[in-house]
Amino acid sequence: MLQYQPVEPSVEVVFHALADANRRAMVDRLLDGPASVSELAEPLSISLPAVVQHLHVLEGSGVVRSRKVGRVRTCEIEPQALSRAERWISERRALWEKRLDRLGDFLAADSDEAATKRQSNTPEQPSKRRPR
């Protein structure tokens, strides 16, 4: 029998959550500190139910968590989820920097080799002196 083991949301889910401009605006606001759902909805030109749907996506990705106190639902950023995405990007950046460095080294060596071959394959020019 399979047992359920909770796993942290994958980096794909985090990127999916951050793919929408409204959700990114909410995350940007939450970077300043916790905010209520109505405070998050205020600058956006979407309905309150749409804001709630976006928050569900952000919560499902682990980027945001919320708690309800009385009638007010307060949301706050969950930095670990953003750290996962940042780490994933950093790993890819380091990989591509290494690859591009190796390509640059290869091209520089190839260029030096080609220049050397051109110099060695150049036929000697006859002397311009006239025999006496």
Side-chain angles (χ1 to χ4, degrees), residues 2-36:
L2 293 175
Q3 291 189 3
Y4 173 74
Q5 292 184 337
V7 294
E8 63 183 23
S10 68
V11 71
E12 290 86 5
V13 175
V14 173
F15 283 127
H16 169 74
L18 297 174
D20 183 83
N22 290 313
R23 291 193 289 262
R24 286 193 307 275
M26 288 183 223
V27 169
D28 285 342
R29 166 54 188 88
L30 291 173
L31 290 172
D32 294 334
S36 69

Side-chain angles (χ1 to χ4, degrees), residues 72-88:
V72 178
R73 178 169 298 280
T74 303
C75 302
E76 58 188 326
I77 203 78
E78 189 61 53
Q80 292 83 8
L82 295 177
S83 295
R84 272 195 311 275
E86 183 181 10
R87 187 173 50 249
W88 186 89

Side-chain angles (χ1 to χ4, degrees), residues 27-109:
V27 169
D28 285 342
R29 166 54 188 88
L30 291 173
L31 290 172
D32 294 334
S36 69
V37 173
S38 58
E39 289 172 333
L40 292 174
E42 188 176 311
L44 303 175
S45 59
I46 57 176
S47 67
L48 192 58
V51 169
V52 171
Q53 286 180 339
H54 283 300
L55 282 172
H56 284 301
V57 173
L58 289 168
E59 286 178 305
S61 71
V63 172
V64 169
R65 67 175 171 215
S66 67
R67 64 184 185 285
K68 190 169 185 177
V69 178
R71 296 176 53 177
V72 178
R73 178 169 298 280
T74 303
C75 302
E76 58 188 326
I77 203 78
E78 189 61 53
Q80 292 83 8
L82 295 177
S83 295
R84 272 195 311 275
E86 183 181 10
R87 187 173 50 249
W88 186 89
I89 291 170
S90 294
E91 289 168 357
R92 290 341 172 257
R93 180 182 295 124
L95 173 73
W96 280 103
E97 284 175 355
K98 285 180 189 175
R99 288 179 178 177
L100 290 172
D101 287 345
R102 286 194 334 237
L103 176 61
D105 293 345
F106 174 78
L107 293 174

